[in-house]
Amino acid sequence: MEKAWWKESVVYQIYPRSFMDANGDGIGDLRGIISKLDYLKELGIDVIWLSPVYKSPNDDNGYDISDYQNIMDEFGTMDDFDELLQGAHDRGLKIVMDLVVNHSSDEHAWFAESRKSKDNPYRDYYIWKPGTDGKPPTNWGSVFGGSAWQFDEATGEYYLHLFSKKQPDLNWENEKLRQEVYKMMTWWLEKGIDGLRMDVINFISKDNNYPDGEIHGDNKYGDGSQYFMNGPRIHEFLQEMNKEVLSNYDVLTVGEMPGVNAEQGKLYTGTERNELNMVFQFEHVDVGNGPGGKWTPQPWKLTELKEILSKWQYGLADNGWNSLYWNNHDQPRAVSRFGNDKEHYEKSAKMLATCLHMMKGTPYIYQGEEIGMTNVAFESIDDYRDLEILNMYNEAVNEQGKDPNKVMQAIYERGRDNARTPVQWDDTENAGFTTGTPWIKVNPNYKEINAEKVLQDPNSIFHYYKKLIQIRKDNEIVVYGEFELIHEDSEDIFAYTRTLGDEKWLVICNFKSEVVRFELPELINYQSKELVINNYEDTPKEIDLFELKPYQGIVYKLT
Ligand code: NOJ
């Protein structure tokens, strides 16, 4: 397998609005990030992925961009950005930016022009269609609720918005638009950024026939996803982007891709295909989705999770590359979702980190994960800020008359604001995030869970992550070793081996809050064993048959 710096790296995601506020307006900003660069260096990560920092009216917290080449007022200035980039580079850290080009903001100058008239030169930068019999062109629902089409008075046509109506979809069929995007990407890459995370990039090619989607259950709208996910020209567009822009730079590229499976993942990331380095797939974070998707959460099985993750591991074993993540700004907190944030809080946070970082791929840490931040449960819907949550609540409670308590429960489990409460830096007011009023409330557990505390404790979650990152740096097997799942039928244990040359590593993770027995498969032979990392103090004397403690995660090197 070809070696590459982005395979050997660990990425840390920053959601700037919630990371650190330097000017006391209650909103995280670039100078706040600058003030924490030493903290990130201490953790040992290699790359920072910045969620969008561009000009935006913030309908979707920066994922609605009104100017791709300027910085959002609340976050600072381009000078601040340049200082951040320089500060990161001085410390040997790289910066990956978010590229949001499936849609722009409706306040982007292109859209302001586009909506003016049918013959405006920017008309075809977006997707406009006449309605049929006074109804939208298709029955598609938008990801954030309601129809995916918005009627616009000025020209009497509808525009497509797969997300909010303030996020009109860009028309990638239009070559002029594509060239504008490539020019903008080149501008940032020339500035010296080190890569791009591409927002819902597998949505950019739509089926030009615009068929209606199937209506599932009691939904009001049709599911158009098969007509815009991994659409007809997606590979052509990405290959063109690669040829015109990406191939000129040695950068990290990761495409966010809902609805992508491992076979498709290989097409997007295969070396000879010249598209992207890796993708964010969604299959594993969707475990436990019920008939209403994530808003009807159900229990999930460890065998399902293992089947998904190992399918990706095997699928991209020889060609292509995996990204590894448990959470991000759209997902609940890892320890609350996949671990146990109560009795086994610390152990399960460390176990999950072990399980993820020892797989083959590039691991991503979401801000606060390294200090063990958890989900939040605000009593009132008024304390939530995410438009996806607010739209869903309104539709479910006010329009469909659903039980508000049940709806709140789903928000507690799967809502995006779980990830967006401010990073808990210390136990002072507002967790040290801001001297003002935070734009979203701080998780009330900040006195127990905060960065200052974990930095001081050598046995903390933070120091455990630091150790895992160092292990990756010191051992090629963690990056390039072959993955093999063992005990695939176990509902308790997630175990696998990694093999490189004569070396084999054994990774054993207990996902249960009980003691469980582990038996080494007969096919695994070894002369000697050496402990690599363990989230408990005492190490089992022998590994052929032993008991794993609740949420124990342990790694051995076998020779
Ligand atoms: C995916 C982003 O991660 C999410 O935060 C955003 O709301 C949508 N794409 C739309 O841009």
Side-chain angles (χ1 to χ4, degrees):
M1 170 155 282
E2 255 177 61
K3 295 194 172 167
W5 65 264
W6 42 266
K7 294 180 180 171
E8 295 166 13
S9 296
V10 174
V11 184
Y12 184 95
Q13 183 194 354
I14 290 183
Y15 192 68
R17 204 174 177 80
S18 306
F19 188 67
M20 178 65 198
D21 174 22
N23 68 355
D25 67 354
I27 297 172
D29 47 38
L30 297 179
R31 303 214 70 82
I33 301 174
I34 294 171
S35 74
K36 296 294 181 189
L37 284 173
D38 287 333
Y39 167 85
L40 296 175
K41 185 69 192 165
E42 157 90 27
L43 178 59
I45 54 109
D46 308 279
V47 179
I48 298 167
W49 150 30
L50 279 186
S51 274
V53 296
Y54 317 96
K55 267 227 186 335
S56 163
N58 280 308
D59 188 51
D60 187 19
N61 290 352
Y63 282 93
D64 48 321
I65 297 168
S66 53
D67 182 348
Y68 289 102
Q69 282 164 242
N70 265 307
I71 300 295
M72 189 191 297
D73 294 332
E74 294 93 321
F75 288 175
T77 62
M78 195 57 84
D79 284 345
D80 294 331
F81 178 84
D82 292 338
E83 198 179 316
L84 170 60
L85 187 62
Q86 190 59 51
H89 286 170
D90 288 347
R91 290 168 177 79
L93 301 173
K94 296 188 182 324
I95 294 212
V96 162
M97 303 281 284
D98 222 302
L99 179 77
V100 188
V101 288
N102 172 68
H103 44 268
S104 73
S105 162
D106 66 336
E107 296 183 35
H108 193 289
W110 296 338
F111 192 73
E113 284 300 314
S114 183
R115 77 195 321 177
K116 278 185 185 159
S117 67
K118 288 186 189 167
D119 55 9
N120 188 283
Y122 289 90
R123 184 68 170 180
D124 287 340
Y125 274 44
Y126 296 86
I127 301 167
W128 293 95
K129 301 246 174 275
T132 30
D133 308 326
K135 287 206 309 252
T138 71
N139 67 356
W140 303 358
S142 107
V143 176
F144 293 152
S147 166
W149 297 93
Q150 176 67 25
F151 183 73
D152 206 52
E153 290 287 342
T155 54
E157 287 193 332
Y158 292 80
Y159 65 86
L160 179 70
H161 61 89
L162 294 178
F163 294 88
S164 99
K165 59 173 186 254
K166 287 187 65 63
Q167 294 167 298
D169 279 55
L170 289 162
N171 178 16
W172 277 72
E173 299 291 326
N174 179 353
E175 201 192 330
K176 255 167 68 196
L177 174 272
R178 299 204 300 276
Q179 288 304 327
E180 294 259 22
V181 171
Y182 302 154
K183 212 169 75 193
M184 175 272 284
M185 290 169 69
T186 302
W187 186 85
W188 279 102
L189 288 162
E190 282 300 311
K191 214 181 212 323
I193 65 161
D194 306 286
L196 293 159
R197 173 269 186 191
M198 306 184 184
D199 193 68
V200 288
I201 200 69
N202 65 329
F203 287 15
I204 59 176
S205 163
K206 277 86 175 169
D207 180 333
N208 277 327
N209 299 316
Y210 287 90
D212 274 343
E214 201 186 320
I215 300 185
H216 305 299
D218 58 358
N219 269 336
K220 202 162 141 196
Y221 298 98
D223 171 8
S225 55
Q226 61 170 302
Y227 306 114
F228 59 76
M229 278 177 182
N230 311 307
R233 297 181 71 187
I234 183 65
H235 294 291
E236 177 196 333
F237 291 158
L238 288 175
Q239 282 166 11
E240 179 183 88
M241 177 195 280
N242 186 295
K243 186 162 154 260
E244 305 228 353
V245 185
L246 303 173
S247 61
N248 301 323
Y249 304 90
D250 179 19
V251 290
L252 180 160
T253 56
V254 52
E256 187 209 23
M257 299 201 177
V260 72
N261 62 31
E263 290 80 58
Q264 291 160 327
K266 199 165 174 174
L267 295 178
Y268 286 116
T269 68
T271 322
E272 76 295 342
R273 301 209 21 109
N274 297 317
E275 296 186 21
L276 301 172
N277 296 156
M278 53 191 137
V279 301
F280 288 133
Q281 55 88 15
F282 279 65
E283 294 186 308
H284 71 304
V285 291
D286 285 343
V287 289
N289 281 10
K294 71 174 181 179
W295 298 125
T296 48
Q298 294 178 344
W300 53 273
K301 286 183 163 170
L302 184 64
T303 44
E304 276 175 68
L305 184 73
K306 292 194 293 187
E307 195 192 323
I308 294 166
L309 290 173
S310 53
K311 221 176 50 198
W312 278 88
Q313 290 285 306
Y314 292 130
L316 306 186
D318 307 316
N319 195 3
W321 191 250
N322 270 295
S323 69
L324 307 169
Y325 74 99
W326 287 131
N327 52 190
N328 57 40
H329 65 293
D330 293 329
Q331 298 290 335
R333 290 279 175 187
V335 65
S336 304
R337 170 86 160 102
F338 297 105
N340 174 327
D341 62 8
K342 308 261 160 12
E343 308 85 34
H344 301 287
Y345 159 68
E346 189 205 309
K347 296 294 181 209
S348 67
K350 290 176 178 172
M351 180 283 287
L352 287 169
T354 312
C355 185
L356 192 87
H357 284 241
M358 290 296 128
M359 273 187 266
K360 189 171 181 182
T362 299
Y364 287 73
I365 300 171
Y366 177 64
Q367 66 183 31
E369 179 187 332
E370 78 284 8
I371 63 169
M373 281 179 65
T374 66
N375 279 357
V376 74
F378 296 132
E379 220 168 283
S380 164
I381 187 67
D382 299 335
D383 288 329
Y384 285 87
R385 296 287 173 268
D386 174 23
L387 88 165
E388 183 186 41
I389 292 179
L390 299 175
N391 288 351
M392 185 281 288
Y393 183 92
N394 186 40
E395 229 168 80
V397 176
N398 301 331
E399 288 173 26
Q400 297 164 356
K402 292 201 176 131
D403 175 1
N405 290 326
K406 276 210 182 121
V407 175
M408 288 307 280
Q409 216 48 54
I411 294 172
Y412 297 161
E413 264 188 59
R414 300 292 289 278
R416 304 198 298 181
D417 280 341
N418 282 310
R420 299 176 181 186
T421 61
V423 171
Q424 295 159 209
W425 293 107
D426 57 39
D427 64 3
T428 64
E429 207 187 346
N430 298 321
F433 162 73
T434 180
T435 53
T437 309
W439 69 276
I440 184 170
K441 279 191 179 168
V442 172
N443 190 319
N445 65 17
Y446 71 94
K447 292 217 193 274
E448 292 83 57
I449 300 174
N450 63 64
E452 192 177 62
K453 196 165 152 190
V454 288
L455 278 167
Q456 282 161 10
D457 172 7
N459 292 318
S460 67
I461 298 172
F462 179 92
H463 287 284
Y464 197 86
Y465 268 88
K466 194 171 158 178
K467 204 165 155 192
L468 281 170
I469 296 169
Q470 193 56 45
I471 290 171
R472 179 183 190 84
K473 302 237 146 79
D474 296 341
N475 298 277
E476 272 212 320
I477 190 168
V478 178
V479 182
Y480 297 109
E482 186 187 307
F483 168 97
E484 193 175 352
L485 185 71
I486 57 176
H487 290 309
E488 60 181 70
D489 296 328
S490 167
E491 289 296 353
D492 308 321
I493 298 174
F494 193 155
Y496 54 88
T497 58
R498 301 289 307 277
T499 310
L500 192 68
D502 297 337
E503 204 175 312
K504 194 182 274 307
W505 283 24
L506 175 64
V507 182
I508 315 166
C509 296
N510 178 8
F511 271 69
K512 285 278 136 57
S513 38
E514 292 108 51
V515 168
V516 302
R517 243 164 62 120
F518 175 82
E519 210 181 321
L520 190 70
E522 271 172 24
L523 283 174
I524 301 180
N525 298 309
Y526 66 97
Q527 246 95 62
S528 65
K529 62 176 194 307
E530 191 187 312
L531 179 74
V532 177
I533 194 166
N534 178 7
N535 63 348
Y536 277 83
E537 296 278 295
D538 44 330
T539 301
K541 297 227 161 32
E542 56 116 354
I543 57 165
D544 297 276
L545 184 64
F546 73 100
E547 286 191 333
L548 284 164
K549 302 213 166 73
Y551 292 102
Q552 183 158 27
I554 189 162
V555 183
Y556 287 98
K557 171 176 168 179
L558 306 178
T559 36

